[in-house]
Amino acid sequence: MFVPTISGCHVMAKPTSSICNLDCEYCFYLEKEKLYPENMTNWKMDRQTLKLYIQQYIEAQPGHDIQFAWQGGEPTLMGVEFFQQAMELCLQYAGNRNITHSFQTNGILLNDQWCVLFKKYNVLVGVSIDGPEDLHDIYRVTRSKKPTHAKVMKGINYLKKHKIEFNTLTVVHELNAQHPEQVYQFLKQIGSTFLQFIPLVERKLPKEEGQAQLLTLVHPGQRQAEITPWSVPSLHFGEFLNRIFDIWVKKDVGLIFVNMFDSTLATWCGYPSGSCVTAPTCGHAFALESNGDMYQCDHFVYPEYKLGNIHQVTINEMNQSAAVKKFGQDKSEFLSVDCQQCTYKFACHGGCPKHRFSISPLGFPHHNYLCAGYKQFFKHTEPYMKLMKSFIDKNQSPANIMAMI
């Protein structure tokens, strides 16, 4: 998650589009193959598109430091040679800019060759893993429906062998949400110190009587839809965060970094959240498909949110467009009355627009499905956040809270 500067932007590049070597039941992006049926035979980003993307992305940034983010689908399917070319092109067009890279992977194909590349270019690697074996393998399976946990751990061991630090991205679904302590201790045990927990909230069209159940995930603005059975209930997500927080605040402050905890503390201290989910506005954080099509957001890859193609319009032109500015401002302008009056508005700002499909307690539409869980978390952590803020105000470490508790 990324909050760009006012004039800059962030692009999540997907050189394989939705193509992946896994078939995770809950994956919202695999469905994007319906937008690009030609990708079944021609799914790789070509060199011309890669070169154009790198040139335009660097030109669109006003600052000295520029981060490239590579994701998918599964980016390792492009092969090491593709990313070797990408890194070299970045250096070629960087000028005096400082270029860094982040790389999100399921870890299945990692080997010595990949690790040599990551080490050479100091790539920040994120590994998707949903906890210990029994919880991870529920949904994260191969195309032939075989478990993947052992394969992911093999990839992680390659990273450790080459002394490459890695982050973990954990999708919180309705099953692993019931075991927060087990998930947290496992992630610590494998060596992750930067943890990102992503709540799984997906909706599908209701099944009509007599109709075969074909999963069709819906547009964020769709009103008539039902929650998928694997989505995490709002209060369960809040409880999941709280129970992990209770361990973290006693033992791991300053040692383990959890995205939701860090962004919440930042807002208590009067700083920007650092996460687009809880920022006042969104936008300027795009998703780039392998053919050069660019969309408003990774979660809004639908025809009406397509901004253009980099072969016809530059990234900078799209970033400065009225459509992008409106998309970003809509997050704050369409807050429900409940959100406007909420004590924790400063820390939440209504959450991700993708999740605003519920009716609020006061009866207003466009309310965040996760609101109850967020409130539960903010209320539970409030006294601890205030105490850590007091240390920071005195130029002391928030980790001092552990001695007091």
Side-chain angles (χ1 to χ4, degrees), residues 81-311:
E81 184 180 350
F82 173 86
F83 284 100
Q84 178 68 45
Q85 291 177 358
M87 308 295 170
E88 290 173 357
L89 285 169
C90 286
L91 293 176
Q92 180 181 335
Y93 294 114
N96 62 353
R97 312 283 192 93
N98 177 45
I99 304 291
T100 57
H101 298 269
S102 64
F103 191 97
Q104 187 66 37
T105 175
N106 58 37
I108 302 296
L109 296 180
L110 295 184
N111 56 24
D112 288 321
Q113 193 178 9
W114 278 109
C115 291
V116 168
L117 177 79
F118 295 153
K119 195 78 173 180
K120 179 179 179 180
Y121 293 100
N122 195 29
V123 178
L124 174 62
V125 181
V127 179
S128 299
I129 187 166
D130 288 354
E133 186 174 9
D134 58 330
L135 297 175
H136 174 93
D137 285 339
I138 295 169
Y139 294 122
R140 296 190 68 82
V141 295
T142 64
R143 294 279 179 178
S144 56
K145 305 303 179 186
K146 293 182 179 178
T148 63
H149 192 271
K151 295 177 183 292
V152 179
M153 288 306 303
K154 184 178 180 181
I156 287 175
N157 287 333
Y158 274 110
L159 295 173
K160 290 181 177 180
K161 172 186 173 183
H162 290 266
K163 295 181 172 51
I164 296 171
E165 290 190 15
F166 61 93
N167 300 344
T168 50
L169 186 154
T170 299
V171 174
V172 183
H173 50 73
E174 93 293 1
L175 294 175
N176 64 359
Q178 300 173 40
H179 306 278
E181 295 88 356
Q182 189 179 352
V183 170
Y184 182 63
Q185 296 296 356
F186 171 79
L187 296 175
K188 285 175 56 179
Q189 175 191 328
I190 65 174
S192 177
T193 55
F194 291 84
L195 283 55
Q196 187 173 173
F197 294 115
I198 305 296
L200 177 61
V201 180
E202 296 297 342
R203 299 183 301 149
K204 61 180 180 178
L205 293 176
K207 178 182 177 182
E208 295 182 7
E209 189 173 350
Q211 180 187 44
Q213 183 61 62
L214 296 174
L215 179 63
T216 303
L217 299 181
V218 299
H219 180 294
Q222 175 78 31
R223 298 295 296 276
Q224 298 300 319
E226 57 188 37
I227 298 290
T228 60
W230 47 81
S231 294
V232 60
S234 178
L235 288 174
H236 290 192
F237 182 60
E239 180 69 12
F240 176 88
L241 291 175
N242 286 347
R243 284 164 61 180
I244 290 177
F245 182 87
D246 288 345
I247 301 172
W248 176 82
V249 79
K250 294 174 185 176
K251 299 180 179 180
D252 296 326
V253 181
L255 301 173
I256 304 293
F257 301 88
V258 181
N259 64 327
M260 190 64 177
F261 305 167
D262 291 345
S263 62
T264 302
L265 179 58
T267 57
W268 273 103
C269 294
Y271 297 110
S273 111
S275 167
C276 59
V277 172
T278 51
T281 61
C282 59
H284 305 280
F286 310 121
L288 183 79
E289 288 289 315
S290 62
N291 68 345
D293 285 348
M294 198 161 81
Y295 291 84
Q296 291 275 15
C297 170
D298 186 35
H299 291 288
F300 285 79
V301 178
Y302 296 91
E304 55 268 52
Y305 295 102
K306 179 180 170 182
L307 295 168
N309 186 290
I310 61 172
H311 289 274

